[in-house]
Amino acid sequence: RKFPLFAPAFSTEKPNLADLSVGVSLYFDLLLKFAGIFFIISVLTIPTLAITFAAIPSWAEDQTGIGALQKFSIGAMVKASSTDPFGCDEQYCTFPSRDGFGEELSPDVRCRALKEPACAVQMGCEFRAACGGCVNTGSSCVETQVLLKVIVWMDLVCCLAFASCLPFIREQVKARVQQVDDNNITPSDYTVIVYGIPTECDAEELAT
């Protein structure tokens, strides 16, 4: 028997996956529900992805292939050296700003290594106490603890969103199993199980 490409998990009016078995119906039904749940979670993680992608130190920018995926990880936010112009250290995360044409303002000079007197005379650098010292001109900074709190809270929201869906999915599974059983003939509909039969009974006694 052929089933259409978008056959429903259950239906009383047309071919459906429950005709194959309740397990097949539940599998694809749960697959669809989890796809929706993880889509919502992926939307909730956009702030975290934006933070990790923006605070990229120079060592992570050169990654290619599979290594380029590190740009979306929290570990890639950490500076490999304290002199890196962008990225996060224990106190501050420094971000490259963008001009009106979308080009990153990221001078090659490593301003982080300069002290205040040298920073004042170095082209492309500026001293900002709010950023913890000398930074590249046009860059912005945020306290590392603030960003970590945002990431942790967003992860917590994602976990709570997933956990809150589990009771709903459990009830949906129970309802679907009962729905399939009510509309299909299964062995349990014509099978009788008898408990407590004496061991000395033979076939004739059982038949009567």
Side-chain angles (χ1 to χ4, degrees):
R1 183 178 183 180
K2 294 183 178 181
F3 289 84
L5 179 61
F6 297 102
F10 175 78
S11 175
T12 58
E13 301 177 354
K14 52 186 176 181
N16 60 92
L17 299 178
D19 294 339
L20 299 175
S21 71
V22 64
V24 173
S25 175
L26 287 175
Y27 172 78
F28 286 100
D29 192 36
L30 288 175
L31 201 62
L32 181 62
K33 286 183 172 60
F34 277 119
I37 292 172
F38 286 114
F39 173 77
I40 295 174
I41 291 177
S42 65
V43 173
L44 294 175
T45 58
I46 289 178
T48 299
L49 293 176
I51 291 172
T52 56
F53 189 72
I56 298 178
S58 56
W59 69 266
E61 293 180 350
D62 300 329
Q63 298 294 321
T64 58
I66 297 179
L69 296 177
Q70 295 183 55
K71 296 178 181 180
F72 296 98
S73 67
I74 297 177
M77 297 170 57
V78 182
K79 295 180 179 181
S81 170
S82 61
T83 60
D84 281 346
F86 306 116
C88 299
D89 54 26
E90 294 181 357
Q91 294 182 322
Y92 299 97
C93 286
T94 307
F95 301 88
S97 298
R98 296 175 180 272
D99 63 12
F101 298 97
E103 297 294 333
E104 289 187 355
L105 300 174
S106 52
D108 294 332
V109 62
R110 293 175 178 264
C111 302
R112 271 297 185 187
L114 303 178
K115 300 299 182 181
E116 184 174 0
C119 181
V121 297
Q122 175 64 53
M123 182 177 295
C125 298
E126 60 179 328
F127 186 87
R128 287 157 62 182
C131 293
C134 190
V135 295
N136 292 56
T137 301
S139 60
S140 57
C141 57
V142 181
E143 291 185 11
T144 303
Q145 292 294 329
V146 173
L147 292 185
L148 289 179
K149 288 178 181 179
V150 173
I151 294 174
V152 169
W153 277 107
M154 292 309 302
D155 287 347
L156 179 60
V157 169
C158 291
C159 292
L160 292 177
F162 180 74
S164 64
C165 292
L166 294 181
F168 169 76
I169 292 177
R170 181 181 180 184
E171 293 302 319
Q172 288 289 310
V173 168
K174 290 181 179 180
R176 179 53 52 83
V177 171
Q178 187 61 45
Q179 196 176 35
V180 172
D181 184 65
D182 292 341
N183 290 273
N184 291 277
I185 298 176
T186 61
S188 61
D189 295 329
Y190 52 81
T191 301
V192 177
I193 300 178
V194 181
Y195 297 95
I197 299 177
T199 57
E200 63 272 9
C201 290
D202 53 25
E204 294 182 358
E205 291 178 330
L206 291 175
T208 57

